[in-house]
Amino acid sequence: EADIYQTPRYLVIGTGKKITLECSQTMGHDKMYWYQQDPGMELHLIHYSYGVNSTEKGDLSSESTVSRIRTEHFPLTLESARPSHTSQYLCASSRTSGSNEQFFGPGTRLTVL
Amino acid sequence: GENVEQHPSTLSVQEGDSAVIKCTYSDSASNYFPWYKQELGKRPQLIIDIRSNVGEKKDQRIAVTLNKTAKHFSLHITETQPEDSAVYFCAASRGYSSASKIIFGSGTRLSIRP
């Protein structure tokens, strides 16, 4: 079934650790996005990509990096996690042509102690 | 830069009454306006969208209106039910443009009182 998958779903780590949040989609979409969202609050765009080898910073880069080596895979890396990074991270994807309807993954809830 | 403002931030209505959420956008080239619903603990999901060549669109109890001149668009929910309780996000983008990204409003938390 076409969907967007995120792992891990929950993560608790200590300050200073390097972490990678995984996102993969079987939707066949070219565009992918990462958002940071405190529960029920505003969606903050962190990074996005129009396709393979394309990455752009959003409004809230959050001291993170992304890569897009494969169409279906868009991992987000925090080089040194801080308590201020505690939040939910949502991955999304959309088509290049046609509408910009975004499909969201289930999210990763990150807690940095 | 491009911006979408959404009001109100919270809204409480009696079950059975109507709810209206309003958004304004700054980019006059925007032509695609989706609305997302995010239930507690769930991912945002598209509930309705409208394109700039249409002034109104309905889907059962929900409707969206668009005023391109004023750069306003609104979500209307009639005969509200408990399952309508959620956070709603409006958004705007230059649909059909490969280089465009979607701009979300800040969200409205809708509560339906029994």
Side-chain angles (χ1 to χ4, degrees), chain B residues 24-104:
Chain B
T24 60
Y25 59 98
S26 61
D27 182 5
S28 56
S30 295
N31 57 14
Y32 174 66
F33 306 92
W35 286 87
Y36 288 81
K37 176 183 180 182
Q38 186 177 27
E39 297 178 13
L40 187 64
K42 302 280 184 66
R43 67 185 87 179
Q45 289 192 305
L46 181 76
I47 55 171
I48 194 168
D49 56 15
I50 191 168
R51 301 188 188 283
S52 58
N53 59 347
V54 175
E56 183 176 1
K57 183 177 179 180
K58 286 185 179 180
D59 183 3
Q60 300 183 352
R61 294 186 299 106
I62 60 173
V64 58
T65 59
L66 172 64
N67 182 330
K68 285 190 298 180
T69 302
K71 292 192 280 189
H72 289 171
F73 58 112
S74 301
L75 178 71
H76 304 252
I77 306 174
T78 58
E79 301 173 15
T80 53
Q81 300 171 6
E83 55 264 35
D84 295 329
S85 292
V87 178
Y88 292 81
F89 294 96
C90 64
S93 79
R94 300 181 184 185
Y96 301 100
S97 168
S98 62
S100 69
K101 66 180 192 288
I102 198 166
I103 308 296
F104 283 94

Side-chain angles (χ1 to χ4, degrees), chain A residues 6-78:
Chain A
Q6 290 187 241
T7 57
R9 294 293 311 280
Y10 302 91
L11 181 61
V12 180
I13 60 167
T15 298
K17 298 292 186 182
K18 177 180 179 179
I19 60 167
T20 296
L21 307 184
E22 301 289 347
C23 175
S24 61
Q25 50 98 1
T26 56
M27 310 285 287
H29 290 162
D30 286 322
K31 292 183 180 179
M32 295 189 74
Y33 313 81
W34 274 105
Y35 293 91
Q36 182 178 346
Q37 184 192 36
D38 291 329
M41 304 296 284
E42 191 168 353
L43 291 158
H44 296 283
L45 181 65
I46 311 172
H47 295 279
Y48 57 104
S49 167
Y50 295 129
V52 171
N53 294 326
S54 152
T55 61
E56 303 284 343
K57 289 191 174 184
D59 303 320
L60 185 74
S61 297
S62 185
E63 294 134 0
S64 58
T65 59
V66 291
S67 63
R68 190 86 184 277
I69 298 172
R70 303 198 321 259
T71 300
E72 62 273 16
H73 194 214
F74 191 41
L76 174 75
T77 298
L78 290 174

